[in-house]
Structures are given as structure tokens and as C-alpha cells.
Amino acid sequence: MALLKQKTPVKVKSSDTVIRITNPTGKPKEVDGLVGDRQQGYGWSMAERGDYIYIGTWFNTIGAVVTIIQAGLKAKGLNLSQETIEAMMDTVSNNEIPHPTKGLGGQIYKMHKDKPGEFEKIFETDVSFRNVVLFGDDLYFTTYRGVNMNKVNHIYKVDLDDNVTSVYETTDGACTRANAILDGKLYFAGADSKFELDPGDEDKVKLAVLEKSNEDDTVWNYVADYHDFYEYSDDSAVKSPAGSPFWDMVSFKGSLYCTLPGHSGFIAYEGHPAKRGEKTKANQYGWVWTEIVGNNAVNYPGICETPKGNQVDYGAGIVSVVGAFGVFNDALYCYNIDNTITSEIMGITGMLSITQPDFKLSNFVGPVHDTIKHAQKMYKYNETTGRFDECVGFTKLVENTCVEYVWKSAVYNGEFYVGTMDSKVIYNYLTRLTNGSLLYMSLDDWKAQFAAIGRLFKSLANKQTLEMVKALKAASANAPAVPKNSLKEKFDWEGIKMLASVSNTVRKDPGGFHLLKTADGEHWEHVTDCGFGDQFNYGCLRFAPTDHGLYMTTANPFYGTQLYLLKNNKG
């Protein structure tokens, strides 16, 4: 472990030793992205093979958000150009969000473990990479097309010579990210465009769990299709370009466990090859699938407290829409994810459309408020009752913070590590006028802020925007008289209270992801609660346990993903 002695460890709260591999002396707001590329914002895929670490990235993370905001404003009658939207984002974020370019998408890099920080690019594509699994000697990378629905999703095989070939493709679904290995076979779950829907089911998603042939990499056989998940195959969350038809899948005690996004809360199934006596329960592929979280299970959608799931208040369709699994000490764990990006987009879109007649503060702050008040949770599966029981020790460490995802987990040296996403840095864009953060801006930050405001005014002065303003004035001249209390209705008391609550939580949160660990599943502790000292590291994304230590990538769509190495000093 000489590698750990070569660099200064970052400050952590546990006994672990952590070093930064990429740009090791870098500070917040300095570009990383593995190779100095700010737009390589997510190290979304990572795996060890032999002496190398392989990482697949998500390129231009924020570009998709800008596109969604632009569409949302257009729907409200504000047809602003991309230049103007970017100028607005610069002003709101003080230039912390990179402008999207039309470059290529995700890239695959490899790094020799004994040559930290030296990366070789082996492949790039026009979409992004979402997951990877090592099966035999080959790596299988999945892609994510997101809002670029004209693109094709692939499963790419990377052989021992780093030759890359597409072994599967689909034009349905945002991505095919869920994968698992069970009894020597490789499985992926997603939406398969080649499947034929029944007449009358044209609104359904072609959900499929696929088993790769061990003889031919291009042959994938069904073990489940949309009929097995029929009730949820037209759910808006399953169809969403921001997510994935299936979110996660693991193998546990002879079965596959998979999750689907759900507007009322995530859904989960257990599946296995039919055993003796189960022939009547089996589907046409010889598998038995049982709903374990959902409308027809002992656990309600999203493992919520009521059958309605999260269909209450402003968090409807946002809270616990996604779930994922981890396995530790012969037990199955499940953790939830709130759709913080959607709540933030709703908030920013609303604030930018403040002049519109339908603006009401609570409608736009409400989703952020309900999301931030909903603590992320870890659950342990009780095989006797079939229920998922809350790990209270975990909840206590993340409640009353801006943690919104429990993103991924890994077992390393006898301990269970869990990475999260902390949304303080993006929530701050909504609350910076009320949470006091402006008081701590440096002189350089203020200069950048005024420059961004200048660019915004310049953009707003263009011919297209002036014509839009004239049209709005003409429309308002013919509109009914505005009630005297309209301003009071826009800034309703409920919305003001929610904004104050959100501002207070954002102010107290240090920013940056939380990394937690446990040795027994009950007693939890923080490794970090501040993204290793960088609030722009809002997510701890992927893990790769190795003989050198536990490698970790971050989600940092502002200045680029970073790579860290952890040693838990137990061997």
C-alpha cells in the first residue's frame, strides 16, 4: 500500500485513510473530470479488471437540465433562446454550471493501479455510460441516452485487448443500467425495442429482463417481459427520459431482485427459475416473478407508510420514486432515492416564470420542501416476514440534511460502504438570497457575479427577446384587471414558510455527499459528510473494491468527476 503514502490524505471523520487520485492538490472550483475535462461530470461506471481500473463517464450532465428548463419555460409562454437560458443559469449559479457543447458523449478510460492519475481513453460514443459489470474476462458497459431520445442505447463489450463491440442495442427506454450475475449467467434489465406488444398495449413500455447466452455475446434470451410487470409498464416514472425502465438489480440467495421507478414510489420484484412444484406459477420463460414492493405486496410503493405511496402534498411523483439494493453479511438491503433534480428544475423554472399569471410560490418551492424534509432511508430485508425494516441508525445520520439519494454501496474489507447525493449546492441556487450564502462570497465571486448579470442583460436585449416582451405587453393590455391581492396570492404564506424552512436546512448543511459505513448493519458512522471537503462533489457515485483499496468516483457536474482511493486500515 505504498500508494497511500505518496499523497496527503483528505480529512475524514472515520479511521479510514482517503487520498485523491485525480488532480490531488486540487481545490473546489478547480477543473478535474479525470483528464481536465469539466464536462465529464459523472464517473457513472467503474470496475476493476486485472491491474486496471476502468471508468465510463457521463458527458455534459447539466446540458440535459438546461434543455428541460428551456422546454418548461416555453410551455409557459417564455420562448427563450439557449443563449438566454445559459445566461440566466450563469447568473443564478455564478458561473458554476458549465455551458453544454455539442461534443461527443461518454468516454471509457483505464488507469493502471500502480500509475494513479494516468488515464488512457479507449472508447467514446454519442451517449453516456451508466453502468459496467465484469463477467468472465470481459467488461460490459451500458449506456444512457436520457433526453436524447433519437439516440440508440447499447451494451458494449470490452475484451482483454480493449476491443469494444456492441453486443446489444435498443431504441426504447432511457437506458439499460440494471445488471446482475446469477449462477454463472449475466442478466440485464431495461426496455427491449425488439419485443412486440400485444394489440391495445401500445402505451406500455417493453420491459424485459434478459439473459446473455454464454456461447454468443449477441444472443439475449428473455426471462421476463412487460407482462410480468404489467401494472407498472405504463407508469410515467418508467417512461421518464430522466431515469431508467429498471433502476437496479442484484442477485441474492439464488434469485434476482430488481427495482422499477414508480410515480407513487418505487416497485420491486424477486425472480428465479421455477423450482419443483412451481410450474403453474412460472411465466412462459420458466421463471417465477413475485412483487415484493408495490400495490400488491406487503411493502407499499416506495416502502412508504400508506398504500398511496408518495401521492400526497408537493412530493407526489418525486419522493422515493427509485430504489436500489445492496448485499452485506448475507443480508439484502434496500435504499431509496428522491428525484431531487426534478424538484430543483420545478423550482428554478417556477422562479424564472414569476411574471406568469399561474405563478404561486408554494407550487414551486413545495416539491423542494417536501423532498428535503423526507429523510433518505436504508432498509434490511426480513426474509421471514417479507418486510423491509428501517435501519434507524442510518436515518439519524442523514435526516435534516440535503441528502436526497442513497446512490450506491460496496463491501470492502468486512465493512459496508454507502454513498449518497447531497443537493445543497443546487438547492442553494433557489435560496441564496435568503440563506445568507451571499455574505460569504469572495471578491472574485462577486466580480464573476456582476459579469454574469451583465451577460444576462446583454442577452435579454436581443431582438428575439424584445419581440417576446412586446407580445407579452400586448397580451397584458387586453387582459382583465389584475386583482389588488395578486401579489399576496403569488407569494402565499405557505410558500414563504416552506422557503424559510428550505433556506434554513440549506444554510446548515456543509454541502457535498455523505459517505457512511457499518460493520454490522446496525451501527453506522460517517466517513465524510462534506464530499471530502468539496461541496461540488454532490454525489459519491461508484465503488470498485480492490487489493489496493476501495476506489470511488464522484458526481461533480460543475467541475468534473473526481477519483479517490480509500483504505479502511483493517488489513
Side-chain angles (χ1 to χ4, degrees):
M1 295 309 300
L3 177 62
L4 288 174
K5 299 178 181 180
Q6 293 174 5
K7 302 180 186 298
T8 302
V10 300
K11 186 177 180 180
V12 296
K13 305 185 70 151
S14 63
S15 61
D16 302 279
T17 301
V18 179
I19 61 170
R20 181 172 172 178
I21 299 296
T22 52
N23 192 13
T25 60
K27 300 177 181 179
K29 290 195 172 186
E30 290 187 5
V31 174
D32 194 317
L34 304 182
V35 293
D37 185 350
R38 186 179 181 185
Q39 291 198 75
Q40 300 291 350
Y42 280 32
W44 226 345
S45 310
M46 181 167 61
E48 176 193 32
R49 182 171 67 180
D51 294 328
Y52 290 88
I53 297 295
Y54 287 77
I55 300 174
T57 64
W58 183 12
F59 183 82
N60 189 14
T61 312
I62 298 295
V65 175
V66 172
T67 300
I68 295 171
I69 290 176
Q70 188 175 16
L73 292 174
K74 185 175 181 180
K76 294 179 176 297
L78 297 174
N79 192 16
L80 301 179
S81 67
Q82 181 170 332
E83 177 187 6
T84 301
I85 294 293
E86 289 176 0
M88 286 181 170
M89 297 299 287
D90 287 346
T91 303
V92 169
S93 73
N94 199 13
N95 304 290
E96 291 167 358
I97 296 175
H99 290 189
T101 65
K102 295 182 179 180
L104 289 170
Q107 303 178 13
I108 299 177
Y109 296 94
K110 75 173 185 178
M111 180 196 78
H112 197 287
K113 288 181 290 186
D114 290 332
K115 297 179 180 179
E118 297 181 18
F119 290 93
E120 176 187 351
K121 183 169 67 175
I122 65 170
F123 189 66
E124 57 189 3
T125 184
D126 61 351
V127 288
S128 296
F129 291 101
R130 193 70 183 262
N131 213 339
V132 62
V133 59
L134 176 66
F135 182 66
D137 292 328
D138 300 317
L139 293 165
Y140 292 83
F141 281 86
T142 64
T143 63
Y144 170 72
R145 61 181 182 167
V147 296
N148 301 307
M149 298 302 279
N150 60 324
K151 305 290 186 180
V152 177
N153 273 322
H154 294 266
I155 298 176
Y156 288 107
K157 185 182 82 168
V158 183
D159 67 17
L160 278 173
D161 296 320
D162 291 333
N163 297 311
V164 181
T165 55
S166 174
V167 295
Y168 174 82
E169 64 180 48
T170 179
T171 55
D172 278 28
C175 75
T176 305
R177 58 169 283 161
N179 67 74
I181 298 172
L182 176 66
D183 295 334
K185 295 183 178 180
L186 177 62
Y187 296 86
F188 278 94
D192 182 49
S193 56
K194 294 180 287 296
F195 193 86
E196 294 186 11
L197 298 169
D198 294 341
D201 284 349
E202 289 77 16
D203 61 335
K204 304 293 185 181
V205 175
K206 299 177 180 180
L207 297 171
V209 181
L210 303 167
E211 176 187 287
K212 188 186 79 68
S213 166
N214 284 345
E215 287 72 40
D216 188 339
D217 285 323
T218 64
V219 174
W220 298 80
N221 301 307
Y222 296 106
V223 298
D225 62 42
Y226 80 102
H227 296 96
D228 296 291
F229 320 101
Y230 193 83
E231 182 175 348
Y232 309 106
S233 59
D234 61 352
D235 190 287
S236 59
V238 170
K239 294 180 176 180
S240 171
S244 177
F246 285 87
W247 189 262
D248 195 33
M249 186 162 62
V250 299
S251 61
F252 177 68
K253 294 189 176 181
S255 294
L256 294 177
Y257 288 79
C258 61
T259 60
L260 296 86
H263 189 262
S264 298
F266 71 86
I267 308 301
Y269 280 81
E270 176 270 335
H272 61 269
K275 302 172 185 176
R276 181 177 297 180
E278 292 185 322
K279 186 176 181 180
T280 58
K281 299 179 181 180
N283 63 13
Q284 62 177 311
Y285 313 111
W287 278 61
V288 177
W289 290 92
T290 304
E291 188 175 338
I292 59 173
V293 178
N295 295 329
N296 311 293
V298 296
N299 303 285
Y300 298 135
I303 316 184
C304 296
E305 296 179 358
T306 68
K308 290 184 178 181
N310 64 23
Q311 291 305 301
V312 293
D313 302 325
Y314 298 97
I318 296 175
V319 172
S320 290
V321 292
V322 172
F325 292 117
V327 176
F328 174 63
N329 277 357
D330 204 33
L332 180 67
Y333 290 81
C334 184
Y335 30 92
N336 60 4
I337 291 175
D338 293 343
N339 192 350
T340 180
I341 300 298
T342 292
S343 66
E344 175 72 6
I345 288 173
M346 292 172 68
I348 291 179
T349 303
M351 299 304 284
L352 292 177
S353 61
I354 194 170
T355 60
Q356 298 301 290
D358 63 345
F359 177 86
K360 188 177 181 181
L361 183 61
S362 57
N363 289 340
F364 297 106
V365 178
V368 174
H369 173 268
D370 286 9
T371 304
I372 213 170
K373 287 300 181 183
H374 175 255
Q376 303 313 115
K377 295 181 179 180
M378 174 75 63
Y379 303 92
K380 184 178 180 180
Y381 187 52
N382 186 320
E383 296 180 62
T384 302
T385 65
R387 295 189 177 276
F388 283 93
D389 301 322
E390 182 182 348
C391 300
V392 178
F394 180 92
T395 306
K396 289 181 177 179
L397 291 179
V398 298
E399 62 186 357
N400 299 316
T401 71
C402 294
V403 168
E404 303 291 13
Y405 285 19
V406 182
W407 219 323
K408 205 66 177 175
S409 62
V411 178
Y412 166 65
N413 238 4
E415 294 186 305
F416 190 40
Y417 288 81
V418 178
T420 71
M421 174 185 180
D422 185 289
S423 297
K424 183 234 174 77
V425 67
I426 57 174
Y427 286 158
N428 190 54
Y429 299 146
L430 278 179
T431 65
R432 60 199 306 227
L433 294 177
T434 56
N435 66 20
S437 63
L438 293 176
L439 299 175
Y440 300 97
M441 284 174 55
S442 67
L443 179 59
D444 287 341
D445 285 339
W446 275 112
K447 289 179 179 179
Q449 184 71 77
F450 284 124
I453 293 172
R455 288 193 298 273
L456 175 58
F457 282 140
K458 182 179 179 180
S459 174
L460 289 172
N462 63 37
K463 182 178 179 181
Q464 177 190 15
T465 305
L466 291 175
E467 289 177 351
M468 182 193 70
V469 171
K470 289 180 181 178
L472 288 173
K473 285 183 176 179
S476 63
N478 299 320
V482 179
K484 292 182 179 180
N485 65 345
S486 61
L487 188 61
K488 183 178 180 181
E489 291 176 353
K490 285 178 178 289
F491 291 91
D492 56 305
W493 180 239
E494 182 182 15
I496 291 173
K497 288 192 296 183
M498 288 191 293
L499 181 59
S501 175
V502 170
S503 297
N504 189 49
T505 303
V506 171
R507 178 180 59 83
K508 292 180 179 180
D509 194 297
F513 64 78
H514 293 216
L515 175 62
L516 303 98
K517 71 172 185 176
T518 181
D520 60 10
E522 295 184 12
H523 302 89
W524 294 81
E525 64 175 309
H526 271 115
V527 178
T528 183
D529 62 357
C530 61
F532 295 139
D534 187 344
Q535 67 167 330
F536 298 101
N537 276 334
Y538 72 16
C540 184
L541 205 51
R542 285 293 185 268
F543 298 100
T546 74
D547 56 354
H548 277 58
L550 180 65
Y551 287 89
M552 300 169 287
T553 58
T554 71
N556 187 328
F558 310 95
Y559 299 96
T561 182
Q562 300 171 9
L563 179 64
Y564 289 84
L565 179 62
L566 176 148
K567 174 70 175 176
N568 70 3
N569 304 318
K570 288 196 172 183

